[in-house]
Amino acid sequence: MQKLFDTELSIARKRRALAQAVPGADFLMERVAEDLGERLSAVERRFGKAAALYCVTPAARDAVLASGKADEVIRIEADVAFLAGGPGIVAAPEHLPLEPGSIDLAVSLLALHEANDIPGMLVQIRRALRPDGLFLGCMAGAATLFELRDALLAAEVELHGGASPRVIPFTDVRDAGALLQRAGFALPVADVETVTVRYDNLFGLMTDLRAMGAASALEARSRKPATRTLFARAAQIYAERHSDADGRIRATFSLVWMSGWTPDPSQQKPLKPGSAQVSLARILGDEKGR
């Protein structure tokens, strides 16, 4: 499979971001970790052993423990620096070091969108889960940073007559459920939440992205350093097309949530076609008669 992302570069950038931590730059992770806790609270069961997969920070593990839904949470990270001296397992991304049927809950926050093989990663997660185990994950979706992509593309075409990829492609929510089904999950569900953040200008947004370790690590990226002229023009276009009345710009983060269960005989099954006891036509007829 052709690599879409330079994994080593992505890890290095995240390692540098953690070493030079900027207060408040982890706002997106904190947001999805809070959402994770709320989603787990709606699950009417308790899990024995859980795993937080390649989440970079302890936020996912802490959210699972705070929810009271798991007895134990292990962290699996791509670099020892992400564990910050705490307990966990270091493993190469997309090579899950878990025995089949060894965990009851797997969570992944803001990581899968940088996987070179999302279907393969989901299959590994499903295999690591025991029957009736739950996977709950969040990744950046298709509309993420569409304003930045638009401004950079327009500026580069205008200045250089062509463009190179500078913002990574993201998965559409409509494809997320299909990916879960393809990986063998039962009862797959995918939904999307949109978070809009405002900045004074494009440079404020890019500062936050670097502080998150979220700058593009595409294999197909241009190796030529971007010029100040390009970013200056992109900032102008961004302000012209994606700003509010007060002059501040908008940055969209689309959060695609995915959940699926490993198959188990105890789970609900869809009714067989033709097994309904009351016809839809009769129900609609009753409604009209009221």
Side-chain angles (χ1 to χ4, degrees):
M1 176 178 292
Q2 183 177 359
K3 288 181 62 178
L4 184 62
F5 300 102
D6 183 337
T7 303
E8 291 183 4
L9 176 61
S10 177
I11 292 172
R13 285 177 170 167
K14 289 177 172 58
R15 189 166 53 233
R16 183 167 58 246
L18 286 176
Q20 303 171 355
V22 176
D26 59 349
F27 69 90
L28 203 58
M29 177 60 78
E30 293 299 320
R31 164 67 183 265
V32 297
E34 181 179 347
D35 289 349
L36 172 65
E38 293 178 359
R39 288 169 181 264
L40 280 173
S41 68
V43 179
E44 296 182 355
R45 62 164 290 186
R46 186 178 176 84
F47 303 92
K49 187 175 183 179
L53 311 177
Y54 305 105
C55 300
V56 181
T57 80
R61 178 205 62 193
D62 294 348
V64 174
L65 290 174
S67 73
K69 293 292 184 176
D71 299 323
E72 175 190 2
V73 184
I74 59 171
R75 290 183 62 194
I76 298 175
E77 297 293 354
D79 192 280
V80 67
F82 302 159
L83 294 172
I89 300 171
V90 177
E94 303 184 56
H95 295 279
L96 203 58
L98 294 173
E99 293 294 324
S102 59
I103 58 174
D104 304 289
L105 170 67
V107 298
S108 171
L109 298 185
L110 302 182
L112 276 175
H113 57 265
E114 288 189 316
N116 282 298
D117 182 11
I118 296 176
M121 190 65 193
L122 290 174
V123 168
Q124 291 184 68
I125 293 171
R126 195 258 303 158
R127 288 174 177 167
L129 287 163
R130 297 186 179 104
D132 205 30
L134 173 64
F135 166 65
L136 188 55
C138 178
M139 63 180 176
T144 296
L145 299 176
F146 77 88
E147 305 95 340
L148 178 61
R149 183 184 295 109
D150 175 51
L152 287 171
L153 175 62
E156 199 160 13
V157 168
E158 177 184 311
L159 295 173
H160 305 298
S164 58
R166 295 189 181 276
V167 179
I168 70 174
F170 298 106
T171 302
D172 188 278
V173 65
R174 291 172 294 185
D175 297 326
L179 287 170
L180 289 167
Q181 286 184 313
R182 177 179 170 184
F185 283 100
L187 309 173
V189 176
D191 62 90
V192 63
E193 296 181 1
T194 300
V195 176
T196 302
V197 185
R198 302 204 313 148
Y199 292 90
D200 289 337
N201 50 50
L202 174 145
F203 301 105
L205 167 60
M206 294 185 68
T207 296
D208 261 6
L209 292 176
R210 283 192 294 270
M212 295 177 194
S216 173
L218 285 169
E219 279 282 355
R221 69 192 183 280
S222 173
R223 264 48 177 187
K224 296 179 180 179
T227 64
R228 292 183 180 180
T229 302
L230 172 63
F231 285 122
R233 181 60 183 132
Q236 292 175 341
I237 294 172
Y238 203 131
E240 292 166 0
R241 298 183 180 181
H242 307 292
S243 64
D244 292 325
D246 61 1
R248 304 192 77 201
I249 64 168
R250 301 180 299 276
T252 297
F253 294 91
S254 175
L255 305 176
V256 173
W257 282 92
M258 311 165 67
S259 67
W261 297 80
T262 44
D264 185 77
S266 66
Q267 293 167 351
Q268 291 182 330
K269 302 291 189 300
L271 294 175
K272 296 180 179 179
S275 62
Q277 299 299 310
V278 181
S279 72
L280 179 61
R282 178 179 174 183
I283 294 174
L284 293 177
D286 290 345
E287 289 292 333
K288 291 179 181 178
R290 291 179 183 175

Short mmCIF file of all heavy atoms in Angstrom, two decimals, residues 180-222:
data_model
loop_
_atom_site.label_atom_id
_atom_site.label_comp_id
_atom_site.label_asym_id
_atom_site.label_seq_id
_atom_site.Cartn_x
_atom_site.Cartn_y
_atom_site.Cartn_z
N LEU A 180 -16.37 0.72 9.45
CA LEU A 180 -16.61 -0.14 10.60
C LEU A 180 -17.20 -1.48 10.16
O LEU A 180 -16.79 -2.55 10.65
CB LEU A 180 -17.56 0.54 11.59
CG LEU A 180 -16.99 1.74 12.37
CD1 LEU A 180 -18.12 2.50 13.05
CD2 LEU A 180 -15.96 1.27 13.39
N GLN A 181 -18.17 -1.44 9.25
CA GLN A 181 -18.76 -2.68 8.74
C GLN A 181 -17.72 -3.53 8.04
O GLN A 181 -17.66 -4.75 8.22
CB GLN A 181 -19.91 -2.36 7.79
CG GLN A 181 -21.17 -1.86 8.47
CD GLN A 181 -22.30 -1.64 7.50
OE1 GLN A 181 -22.11 -1.03 6.44
NE2 GLN A 181 -23.46 -2.12 7.83
N ARG A 182 -16.89 -2.90 7.23
CA ARG A 182 -15.85 -3.61 6.48
C ARG A 182 -14.88 -4.30 7.44
O ARG A 182 -14.37 -5.38 7.13
CB ARG A 182 -15.11 -2.63 5.59
CG ARG A 182 -13.95 -3.21 4.80
CD ARG A 182 -13.31 -2.14 3.93
NE ARG A 182 -12.06 -2.59 3.32
CZ ARG A 182 -11.27 -1.82 2.58
NH1 ARG A 182 -11.62 -0.57 2.34
NH2 ARG A 182 -10.15 -2.30 2.07
N ALA A 183 -14.64 -3.68 8.60
CA ALA A 183 -13.71 -4.26 9.57
C ALA A 183 -14.35 -5.36 10.41
O ALA A 183 -13.67 -6.00 11.21
CB ALA A 183 -13.17 -3.17 10.49
N GLY A 184 -15.67 -5.59 10.25
CA GLY A 184 -16.33 -6.67 10.96
C GLY A 184 -17.02 -6.27 12.24
O GLY A 184 -17.40 -7.14 13.03
N PHE A 185 -17.23 -4.98 12.46
CA PHE A 185 -17.94 -4.53 13.66
C PHE A 185 -19.45 -4.69 13.48
O PHE A 185 -19.98 -4.49 12.39
CB PHE A 185 -17.62 -3.07 13.98
CG PHE A 185 -16.27 -2.86 14.61
CD1 PHE A 185 -15.19 -2.44 13.86
CD2 PHE A 185 -16.09 -3.08 15.96
CE1 PHE A 185 -13.94 -2.25 14.43
CE2 PHE A 185 -14.85 -2.89 16.56
CZ PHE A 185 -13.78 -2.48 15.79
N ALA A 186 -20.11 -5.01 14.58
CA ALA A 186 -21.57 -5.06 14.60
C ALA A 186 -22.12 -3.74 15.13
O ALA A 186 -21.42 -3.02 15.85
CB ALA A 186 -22.03 -6.21 15.48
N LEU A 187 -23.36 -3.45 14.78
CA LEU A 187 -24.04 -2.24 15.26
C LEU A 187 -23.21 -0.98 15.05
O LEU A 187 -23.05 -0.16 15.97
CB LEU A 187 -24.40 -2.39 16.75
CG LEU A 187 -25.14 -3.68 17.13
CD1 LEU A 187 -25.29 -3.78 18.64
CD2 LEU A 187 -26.50 -3.73 16.47
N PRO A 188 -22.65 -0.77 13.86
CA PRO A 188 -21.80 0.41 13.64
C PRO A 188 -22.61 1.70 13.61
O PRO A 188 -23.71 1.75 13.06
CB PRO A 188 -21.18 0.12 12.26
CG PRO A 188 -22.22 -0.71 11.56
CD PRO A 188 -22.82 -1.58 12.63
N VAL A 189 -22.05 2.72 14.21
CA VAL A 189 -22.69 4.04 14.23
C VAL A 189 -21.61 5.09 13.98
O VAL A 189 -20.52 5.02 14.54
CB VAL A 189 -23.38 4.34 15.58
CG1 VAL A 189 -23.94 5.76 15.60
CG2 VAL A 189 -24.50 3.32 15.84
N ALA A 190 -21.92 6.07 13.14
CA ALA A 190 -21.00 7.18 12.90
C ALA A 190 -21.80 8.47 12.89
O ALA A 190 -22.89 8.53 12.31
CB ALA A 190 -20.27 7.01 11.57
N ASP A 191 -21.29 9.48 13.55
CA ASP A 191 -21.93 10.80 13.53
C ASP A 191 -20.85 11.86 13.55
O ASP A 191 -19.67 11.57 13.78
CB ASP A 191 -22.89 10.97 14.71
CG ASP A 191 -22.18 10.89 16.06
OD1 ASP A 191 -21.74 11.96 16.55
OD2 ASP A 191 -22.06 9.79 16.63
N VAL A 192 -21.24 13.08 13.30
CA VAL A 192 -20.25 14.16 13.19
C VAL A 192 -20.67 15.36 14.03
O VAL A 192 -21.85 15.69 14.14
CB VAL A 192 -20.06 14.59 11.71
CG1 VAL A 192 -21.36 15.14 11.13
CG2 VAL A 192 -18.92 15.57 11.56
N GLU A 193 -19.69 15.98 14.67
CA GLU A 193 -19.87 17.23 15.39
C GLU A 193 -18.94 18.26 14.79
O GLU A 193 -17.83 17.95 14.38
CB GLU A 193 -19.56 17.05 16.89
CG GLU A 193 -20.49 16.08 17.61
CD GLU A 193 -20.15 15.96 19.08
OE1 GLU A 193 -19.20 16.65 19.53
OE2 GLU A 193 -20.81 15.17 19.78
N THR A 194 -19.39 19.50 14.73
CA THR A 194 -18.58 20.56 14.15
C THR A 194 -18.20 21.57 15.22
O THR A 194 -19.05 22.05 15.97
CB THR A 194 -19.33 21.28 13.02
OG1 THR A 194 -19.66 20.33 12.00
CG2 THR A 194 -18.49 22.38 12.42
N VAL A 195 -16.91 21.85 15.30
CA VAL A 195 -16.39 22.85 16.23
C VAL A 195 -15.80 23.99 15.40
O VAL A 195 -14.93 23.75 14.55
CB VAL A 195 -15.31 22.26 17.16
CG1 VAL A 195 -14.72 23.34 18.05
CG2 VAL A 195 -15.89 21.13 17.99
N THR A 196 -16.25 25.20 15.63
CA THR A 196 -15.72 26.36 14.92
C THR A 196 -14.93 27.23 15.88
O THR A 196 -15.44 27.63 16.94
CB THR A 196 -16.85 27.20 14.29
OG1 THR A 196 -17.61 26.37 13.40
CG2 THR A 196 -16.29 28.37 13.50
N VAL A 197 -13.68 27.47 15.54
CA VAL A 197 -12.77 28.27 16.38
C VAL A 197 -12.42 29.53 15.62
O VAL A 197 -12.22 29.50 14.41
CB VAL A 197 -11.49 27.47 16.72
CG1 VAL A 197 -10.61 28.25 17.69
CG2 VAL A 197 -11.85 26.11 17.30
N ARG A 198 -12.34 30.65 16.32
CA ARG A 198 -12.03 31.92 15.66
C ARG A 198 -10.64 32.40 16.04
O ARG A 198 -10.19 32.24 17.17
CB ARG A 198 -13.07 32.97 16.02
CG ARG A 198 -14.50 32.57 15.66
CD ARG A 198 -15.43 33.75 15.48
NE ARG A 198 -15.30 34.71 16.56
CZ ARG A 198 -15.48 36.04 16.40
NH1 ARG A 198 -15.77 36.52 15.21
NH2 ARG A 198 -15.37 36.85 17.42
N TYR A 199 -9.97 32.99 15.05
CA TYR A 199 -8.62 33.51 15.24
C TYR A 199 -8.53 34.93 14.67
O TYR A 199 -9.34 35.33 13.83
CB TYR A 199 -7.60 32.62 14.51
CG TYR A 199 -7.44 31.26 15.12
CD1 TYR A 199 -8.23 30.19 14.69
CD2 TYR A 199 -6.49 31.02 16.11
CE1 TYR A 199 -8.07 28.93 15.24
CE2 TYR A 199 -6.33 29.76 16.67
CZ TYR A 199 -7.13 28.71 16.23
OH TYR A 199 -6.98 27.47 16.79
N ASP A 200 -7.50 35.65 15.13
CA ASP A 200 -7.27 36.98 14.58
C ASP A 200 -6.89 36.89 13.10
O ASP A 200 -7.28 37.75 12.30
CB ASP A 200 -6.16 37.70 15.35
CG ASP A 200 -6.61 38.10 16.75
OD1 ASP A 200 -7.83 38.23 16.97
OD2 ASP A 200 -5.74 38.26 17.62
N ASN A 201 -6.12 35.87 12.74
CA ASN A 201 -5.68 35.72 11.36
C ASN A 201 -5.18 34.30 11.13
O ASN A 201 -5.13 33.49 12.07
CB ASN A 201 -4.58 36.74 11.01
CG ASN A 201 -3.46 36.75 12.04
OD1 ASN A 201 -2.92 35.70 12.40
ND2 ASN A 201 -3.09 37.92 12.54
N LEU A 202 -4.79 34.01 9.90
CA LEU A 202 -4.29 32.68 9.53
C LEU A 202 -3.07 32.29 10.36
O LEU A 202 -2.91 31.11 10.72
CB LEU A 202 -3.95 32.66 8.04
CG LEU A 202 -3.27 31.41 7.47
CD1 LEU A 202 -3.74 31.15 6.05
CD2 LEU A 202 -1.75 31.56 7.48
N PHE A 203 -2.23 33.23 10.70
CA PHE A 203 -1.00 32.92 11.42
C PHE A 203 -1.29 32.43 12.84
O PHE A 203 -0.57 31.59 13.38
CB PHE A 203 -0.07 34.13 11.43
CG PHE A 203 0.28 34.58 10.03
CD1 PHE A 203 -0.29 35.72 9.49
CD2 PHE A 203 1.16 33.84 9.25
CE1 PHE A 203 0.01 36.13 8.20
CE2 PHE A 203 1.47 34.24 7.96
CZ PHE A 203 0.90 35.37 7.43
N GLY A 204 -2.36 32.94 13.45
CA GLY A 204 -2.76 32.44 14.76
C GLY A 204 -3.21 30.99 14.70
O GLY A 204 -2.88 30.17 15.57
N LEU A 205 -3.96 30.66 13.64
CA LEU A 205 -4.39 29.28 13.43
C LEU A 205 -3.19 28.36 13.23
O LEU A 205 -3.10 27.28 13.84
CB LEU A 205 -5.32 29.20 12.21
CG LEU A 205 -5.62 27.80 11.66
CD1 LEU A 205 -6.30 26.93 12.70
CD2 LEU A 205 -6.48 27.91 10.40
N MET A 206 -2.26 28.76 12.39
CA MET A 206 -1.11 27.92 12.11
C MET A 206 -0.22 27.74 13.34
O MET A 206 0.38 26.67 13.53
CB MET A 206 -0.31 28.51 10.94
CG MET A 206 -1.09 28.48 9.63
SD MET A 206 -0.14 29.02 8.21
CE MET A 206 1.05 27.69 8.06
N THR A 207 -0.16 28.74 14.19
CA THR A 207 0.58 28.61 15.45
C THR A 207 -0.03 27.52 16.32
O THR A 207 0.68 26.69 16.90
CB THR A 207 0.59 29.94 16.20
OG1 THR A 207 1.30 30.92 15.43
CG2 THR A 207 1.26 29.79 17.56
N ASP A 208 -1.37 27.49 16.39
CA ASP A 208 -2.05 26.46 17.17
C ASP A 208 -1.83 25.07 16.56
O ASP A 208 -1.63 24.09 17.29
CB ASP A 208 -3.54 26.76 17.26
CG ASP A 208 -3.91 27.42 18.58
OD1 ASP A 208 -3.00 27.75 19.37
OD2 ASP A 208 -5.12 27.63 18.83
N LEU A 209 -1.89 24.97 15.24
CA LEU A 209 -1.70 23.67 14.59
C LEU A 209 -0.31 23.12 14.87
O LEU A 209 -0.13 21.93 15.13
CB LEU A 209 -1.94 23.79 13.08
CG LEU A 209 -3.39 24.08 12.65
CD1 LEU A 209 -3.47 24.27 11.14
CD2 LEU A 209 -4.32 22.97 13.11
N ARG A 210 0.69 24.00 14.82
CA ARG A 210 2.05 23.55 15.14
C ARG A 210 2.14 23.13 16.61
O ARG A 210 2.81 22.14 16.94
CB ARG A 210 3.06 24.66 14.84
CG ARG A 210 3.38 24.82 13.36
CD ARG A 210 4.59 25.70 13.15
NE ARG A 210 4.33 27.09 13.56
CZ ARG A 210 3.85 28.02 12.76
NH1 ARG A 210 3.59 27.75 11.49
NH2 ARG A 210 3.66 29.25 13.20
N ALA A 211 1.46 23.86 17.49
CA ALA A 211 1.50 23.53 18.92
C ALA A 211 0.78 22.22 19.21
O ALA A 211 1.05 21.58 20.23
CB ALA A 211 0.87 24.66 19.73
N MET A 212 -0.13 21.82 18.32
CA MET A 212 -0.80 20.52 18.45
C MET A 212 0.03 19.40 17.83
O MET A 212 -0.31 18.22 17.97
CB MET A 212 -2.15 20.54 17.72
CG MET A 212 -3.19 21.47 18.27
SD MET A 212 -4.66 21.36 17.20
CE MET A 212 -5.58 22.80 17.73
N GLY A 213 1.07 19.76 17.09
CA GLY A 213 1.81 18.76 16.33
C GLY A 213 1.01 18.29 15.14
O GLY A 213 1.17 17.17 14.66
N ALA A 214 0.12 19.17 14.64
CA ALA A 214 -0.83 18.78 13.60
C ALA A 214 -0.52 19.35 12.23
O ALA A 214 -1.38 19.33 11.35
CB ALA A 214 -2.24 19.20 14.02
N ALA A 215 0.68 19.86 12.03
CA ALA A 215 1.05 20.33 10.70
C ALA A 215 1.11 19.13 9.75
O ALA A 215 1.36 18.00 10.15
CB ALA A 215 2.41 21.04 10.74
N SER A 216 0.85 19.39 8.47
CA SER A 216 0.75 18.33 7.47
C SER A 216 2.03 17.49 7.39
O SER A 216 3.14 18.02 7.33
CB SER A 216 0.46 18.92 6.09
OG SER A 216 0.51 17.92 5.10
N ALA A 217 1.84 16.17 7.39
CA ALA A 217 2.96 15.24 7.22
C ALA A 217 2.72 14.35 6.00
O ALA A 217 3.09 13.17 5.99
CB ALA A 217 3.13 14.39 8.47
N LEU A 218 2.11 14.91 4.97
CA LEU A 218 1.83 14.16 3.76
C LEU A 218 3.11 13.73 3.07
O LEU A 218 4.06 14.52 2.96
CB LEU A 218 0.99 15.01 2.80
CG LEU A 218 -0.49 15.20 3.14
CD1 LEU A 218 -1.09 16.28 2.26
CD2 LEU A 218 -1.25 13.90 3.00
N GLU A 219 3.14 12.52 2.58
CA GLU A 219 4.29 12.05 1.80
C GLU A 219 4.43 12.88 0.53
O GLU A 219 5.54 13.14 0.06
CB GLU A 219 4.12 10.57 1.44
CG GLU A 219 4.49 9.60 2.55
CD GLU A 219 5.99 9.43 2.69
OE1 GLU A 219 6.75 9.98 1.87
OE2 GLU A 219 6.42 8.72 3.63
N ALA A 220 3.31 13.30 -0.04
CA ALA A 220 3.33 14.03 -1.31
C ALA A 220 3.50 15.54 -1.14
O ALA A 220 3.33 16.28 -2.10
CB ALA A 220 2.04 13.74 -2.08
N ARG A 221 3.81 15.98 0.07
CA ARG A 221 3.97 17.41 0.29
C ARG A 221 5.17 17.95 -0.51
O ARG A 221 6.11 17.20 -0.82
CB ARG A 221 4.20 17.70 1.78
CG ARG A 221 5.54 17.22 2.30
CD ARG A 221 5.63 17.24 3.80
NE ARG A 221 6.94 16.82 4.28
CZ ARG A 221 7.35 15.56 4.37
NH1 ARG A 221 6.55 14.58 4.02
NH2 ARG A 221 8.56 15.28 4.82
N SER A 222 5.14 19.22 -0.79
CA SER A 222 6.27 19.85 -1.46
C SER A 222 7.45 19.92 -0.50
O SER A 222 7.28 20.26 0.68
CB SER A 222 5.90 21.25 -1.93
OG SER A 222 7.04 21.92 -2.44
#
